[in-house]
Amino acid sequence: MPEMTKKLDRFTAAILAEATAETERTLDDLKKKRAAALDQAEDRILLEAFHYIKNEVAAIRAETGRSVSRHMLDNKRALYLRREEISQEVFGLVRGRLEAYTAAPAYAERLAGLYRQALDTLKGADDVRVYLRPADLPLAGGLRRAVPGREAEFEAGDFTLGGLVAESAGLGLRVDATFDNAMEELSGHFAELFGLSLSDDDE
């Protein structure tokens, strides 16, 4: 009987040892699985956090870009309106000076000079037609006397600031020496120069 007890003790000890080893292996596996699950969870959370932050940054950047664009557009609009106001003020002053100039005696001399230059350009033409603004038609006699020996027909033109237009159908030439035309060219140069000075200021 003692032999049987010894065998039973050895058998029990072997089973207990095997059970202990199995328990330790199971616990190790559980620890590894737990660690792997935690790593996966951390990776997933980090990835989600990264995507969230990335999306938020993109949204903030887009909103900031829209805000800056709106601000720049508002500033450009205000600048454009102010530039137009300044342009109107400047050309209003120029028109006022032209009105004063065309009412002065020096204007008749200037008109005679323009008439001579136009006839030089239309040299050889015998069908010269000269257009003056309606207020200047009384000066036609003085213009004829300024260039004796050259005939021209004088008519009212559709411009208002002063100067003259001379043309010859036979030569197919037209000379526009109106203040209206000069003002239009000046307007284009003014906008160009004023635009450049504004861009230079921005830089």
Side-chain angles (χ1 to χ4, degrees):
M1 194 74 170
E3 187 65 30
M4 183 69 96
T5 303
K6 282 181 187 179
K7 282 184 181 180
L8 190 55
D9 287 343
R10 277 197 302 270
F11 179 72
T12 303
I15 289 177
L16 286 174
E18 182 63 31
T20 301
E22 184 64 31
T23 301
E24 286 176 2
R25 281 195 300 273
T26 303
L27 286 174
D28 283 344
D29 284 347
L30 284 173
K31 283 179 185 175
K32 287 177 184 174
K33 287 179 181 176
R34 185 170 177 254
L38 283 173
D39 286 345
Q40 286 180 351
E42 283 177 3
D43 289 346
R44 191 174 64 252
I45 290 167
L46 285 173
L47 188 62
E48 288 173 3
F50 172 76
H51 285 307
Y52 175 77
I53 291 168
K54 186 179 175 185
N55 290 338
E56 286 300 306
V57 167
I60 290 168
R61 186 177 292 152
E63 180 55 35
T64 303
R66 283 192 294 271
S67 176
V68 168
S69 294
R70 279 193 302 269
H71 190 60
M72 286 178 66
L73 188 61
D74 290 344
N75 285 343
K76 282 184 180 178
R77 190 176 295 120
L79 186 63
Y80 173 77
L81 291 174
R82 184 59 187 134
R83 184 168 33 199
E84 287 299 307
E85 287 174 10
I86 291 170
S87 177
Q88 293 300 321
E89 289 170 14
V90 168
F91 286 103
L93 291 171
V94 171
R95 282 187 188 89
R97 289 194 178 186
L98 282 175
E99 285 175 16
Y101 176 68
T102 55
Y107 174 61
E109 294 174 21
R110 176 73 179 135
L111 203 57
L114 293 174
Y115 180 58
R116 286 189 201 95
Q117 291 172 4
L119 290 179
D120 283 345
T121 303
L122 301 174
K123 194 172 284 183
D126 56 4
D127 61 342
V128 176
R129 188 178 303 267
V130 178
Y131 297 94
L132 301 173
R133 64 183 186 151
D136 292 341
L137 280 176
L139 300 174
L143 295 178
R144 283 192 182 96
R145 287 190 297 277
V147 187
R150 289 292 303 269
E151 288 299 318
E153 292 183 32
F154 288 87
E155 295 182 20
D158 59 357
F159 48 94
T160 59
L161 297 178
L164 57 83
V165 172
E167 62 184 14
S168 165
L171 294 179
L173 291 176
R174 184 175 194 268
V175 178
D176 188 336
T178 62
F179 295 169
D180 302 63
N181 185 50
M183 177 80 94
E184 190 174 324
E185 288 180 6
L186 182 63
S187 175
H189 291 307
F190 179 82
E192 184 180 320
L193 291 172
F194 193 42
L196 285 174
S197 69
L198 286 174
S199 63
D200 290 345
D201 290 345
D202 290 343
E203 289 173 5

